[in-house]
Amino acid sequence: MTTTTTNIADQLILHKDLVEHQQKLIIQLEKKVDALRDLSNSYKEQRDSYKNLFESVRDQYNNYAKRVTKGLDDLLDTRIFKI
């Protein structure tokens, strides 16, 4: 082999090693992207769960407030008629 051929062969080997390393990095990045996507989906599900819980508590409070208001109105109506 001549020096030029040896240099080209060495460069090809280095290039092959570099490509393999880049492929490994791409696989690692894809795994991290998948993990972040899963985390994002989990966050969205948790956010939706809290939103539903908040709406349920708000509805319960509104129903309670309506019952109290109606009870007070009924009490006032009853007292007015007794006077």
Side-chain angles (χ1 to χ4, degrees):
M1 276 194 184
T2 65
T3 304
T4 306
T5 307
T6 303
N7 286 341
I8 292 172
D10 289 343
Q11 288 178 3
L12 287 173
I13 290 170
L14 288 174
H15 179 72
K16 178 183 166 269
D17 291 344
L18 180 61
V19 168
E20 288 174 354
H21 182 67
Q22 287 174 337
Q23 288 172 338
K24 289 177 184 176
L25 289 175
I26 289 170
I27 290 170
Q28 289 175 355
L29 286 173
E30 288 173 343
K31 288 179 181 178
K32 288 180 181 182
V33 167
D34 289 342
L36 285 172
R37 187 175 296 119
D38 291 344
L39 184 62
S40 175
N41 289 338
S42 175
Y43 168 76
K44 289 175 185 174
E45 290 172 4
Q46 188 175 17
R47 181 196 64 203
D48 291 344
S49 176
Y50 281 123
K51 181 181 174 188
N52 291 339
L53 178 61
F54 170 78
E55 290 173 353
S56 174
V57 169
R58 183 189 62 203
D59 292 344
Q60 289 176 14
Y61 174 79
N62 287 338
N63 288 336
Y64 173 75
K66 287 176 188 175
R67 287 195 317 266
V68 168
T69 302
K70 183 180 179 330
L72 289 174
D73 288 344
D74 291 347
L75 183 61
L76 288 174
D77 289 345
T78 304
R79 287 192 172 205
I80 290 172
F81 287 119
K82 285 187 177 179
I83 296 176

